[in-house]
Amino acid sequence: MTLTDERMRRPATLARSPLVAVGAGIATGLLARALYAVLPEPWTTLANTSALWGLLPFTVAALTRTRGSRAILLGMTALAAMVVTWAVLGPESQPPRVLVLWGIVAIGAGALCGLAGDLAGRRQPLAHRLGLAVMSGLVLGEAFYGALLIGGPQWWGESALGLLLALGGGRRWPDRAVALALVALMAASLFGVYLLFDAIAAG
């Protein structure tokens, strides 16, 4: 390998470093706290929804073009850093049970969204659609859950974002129809997951 090759590889290696994921998580946690402080009700909900937080590990993995286990690791690191930042900056300390639950979700959701970002960043149509379906399914599942059981216009804004992600699953309408079908399956299955999560969080 020549010196030029080493210099060309170095930025890519740095971009995939867990330190970058930590920095992105801290920055996003700070942004979420700032938005939560300034947004009017009920739009503050969008600053602390778990599905929208999943866009962080998804984006980190997709933009750095990491693959496989490294994408999963970066996703977990980024979301964990965001959750820690959010918790530390909170006006009140959370019970240990809630912090443990947040940590478990951060690791699991970070891994899933990191892998989804890996797939969405690939050129193979099926992998690309599947990655977007996972992420948009997470967003839409939460949005439908909120709209049906909580209410408020903020959930329809989240739904619109989820649909935009879903429509990125193909350039032609037949491809988009397949992508939307995958998203519908994901959203329906994740609806139950959100029910379970809130039931556990409520104790």
Side-chain angles (χ1 to χ4, degrees):
M1 181 184 292
T2 65
L3 181 60
T4 302
D5 290 335
E6 290 180 358
R7 288 174 177 172
M8 290 177 66
R9 286 170 59 89
R10 207 170 293 161
T13 303
L14 177 61
R16 296 184 177 102
S17 167
L19 291 176
V20 173
V22 171
I26 293 173
T28 309
L30 291 170
L31 176 61
R33 272 295 176 195
L35 289 175
Y36 190 78
V38 301
L39 287 174
E41 293 288 350
W43 298 99
T44 53
T45 305
L46 298 181
N48 69 336
T49 62
S50 53
L52 293 183
W53 284 14
L55 289 171
L56 169 66
F58 176 84
T59 303
V60 167
L63 290 183
T64 57
R65 298 181 181 180
T66 49
R67 297 291 178 258
S69 60
R70 182 170 285 274
I72 291 171
L73 175 61
L74 287 187
M76 292 165 56
T77 304
L79 192 55
M82 181 180 179
V83 169
V84 169
T85 303
W86 174 272
V88 168
L89 296 178
E92 299 178 357
S93 59
Q94 297 294 327
R97 180 179 61 82
V98 172
L99 293 176
V100 170
L101 179 62
W102 284 2
I104 293 171
V105 171
I107 293 171
L112 177 63
C113 294
L115 181 59
D118 163 19
L119 295 174
R122 299 193 184 203
R123 293 186 177 182
Q124 298 95 328
L126 181 59
H128 178 70
R129 289 176 201 157
L130 183 58
L132 288 175
V134 170
M135 192 65 244
S136 57
L138 281 166
V139 174
L140 283 171
E142 182 183 66
F144 292 156
Y145 172 84
L148 291 174
L149 300 182
I150 301 173
Q154 72 277 22
W155 303 111
W156 299 110
E158 187 174 357
S159 297
L161 178 59
L163 286 173
L164 285 175
L165 280 169
L167 291 175
R171 295 181 179 179
R172 299 177 304 169
W173 278 108
D175 294 333
R176 289 178 175 177
V178 172
L180 287 170
L182 287 172
V183 169
L185 289 172
M186 284 293 304
S189 62
L190 288 164
F191 187 93
V193 174
Y194 290 119
L195 276 173
L196 178 63
F197 175 80
D198 278 354
I200 295 173

